[in-house]
Amino acid sequence: MFLFENIYIVLVGITHPGNIGGAARAMRNMGLTQLRLVQPKLFPHAEATARASGACDVLAKTQVYDNFAESIQDCHLVCGTSARSRTINWEILSPRDSVEKVLLTSQKVAIVFGREHAGLTNEELDHCHYLIQIPTVADFSSLNVAAAVQVIAYELRCAQMANETSLIKEPAETLATAESMQRFYEHLRQTLIEIDFLDPTNPRQLIRRLQRLYNRSQLTESEINILRGILTATQKQCKVKL
Ligand code: SAH
């Protein structure tokens, strides 16, 4: 019986199959079994199986996706990981603080890891509520991706063992899924264009900044419905005035 059935480790664009096996093993040691891959270069592969050691059960049920948005669309909390600080202000959490947030919910959570050479794109990070950074020395901050999975999986295990019952609480209300957040952002973008607040030929960073703002708030489904209701009413008023 695994305690982390709602936690999905998502690996994006991995080129070395050995890293997939290494991540599967790291997960299985700590009680995680849900692995999702987005456009792996080679999978299944003998090198992945070899590096997974005994964790073949994790590889056997690994799900493979063509695009990132699909791989997280049923998740209510999405955490990205990065070795680098990004230009736009993110809420950056340590592995320890991030697992506390993850363990507060029994809804589906994605913890996302990036490509060996390039990490995650800003577009991929736009889907994330938080950014997790593993603290390292300043001049050598990038871990091997399977090692990064190990650190987060270990913190999950420690937090779960330290506080078996009191940490695991139900949230008061269901958080919106990544899919409804994306639909809301598209609605927001469309409305901002209609009211001439956003110039589609020169969007700059506006939508990205708004995404950060709303992602920080961790909206529930009913809050999303209120916001979309306001957008629809705004669009109606705009059409009446035309
Ligand atoms: N040059 C890339 C490094 C990619 S390392 C970059 O700057 O982003 C591959 C992946 O391992 C990263 O995308 C991230 O998911 C994870 N990773 C590596 N080092 C990390 C760190 N210090 N903190 C959090 N995640 C890290």
Side-chain angles (χ1 to χ4, degrees), residues 128-234:
C128 299
H129 295 96
Y130 303 108
L131 195 57
I132 307 173
Q133 224 170 29
I134 299 166
T136 59
V137 291
D139 63 341
F140 199 62
S141 63
S142 173
L143 278 75
N144 167 269
V145 64
V149 171
Q150 183 74 80
V151 171
I152 304 297
Y154 171 73
E155 287 292 349
L156 277 165
R157 176 82 181 138
C158 289
Q160 175 245 324
M161 284 186 4
N163 209 339
E164 289 273 3
T165 47
S166 65
L167 207 56
I168 300 170
K169 294 191 213 107
E170 282 300 316
E173 250 195 285
T174 313
L175 296 179
T177 60
E179 190 182 17
S180 24
M181 292 301 287
Q182 278 318 111
R183 279 203 300 263
F184 165 63
Y185 292 135
E186 184 45 39
H187 195 172
L188 180 63
R189 196 181 69 83
Q190 198 50 49
T191 310
L192 294 180
I193 293 171
E194 285 170 30
I195 63 171
D196 286 336
F197 192 82
L198 174 69
D199 175 1
T201 59
N202 184 20
R204 283 174 300 172
Q205 295 278 60
L206 179 67
I207 289 292
R208 176 158 290 150
R209 282 184 186 279
L210 288 170
Q211 280 184 260
R212 298 288 149 87
L213 169 67
Y214 286 113
N215 280 348
R216 271 205 307 275
S217 325
Q218 290 204 39
L219 300 171
T220 62
E221 287 292 350
S222 56
E223 288 165 340
I224 283 284
N225 288 339
I226 296 169
L227 289 171
R228 292 200 57 180
I230 295 171
L231 292 177
T232 304
T234 309

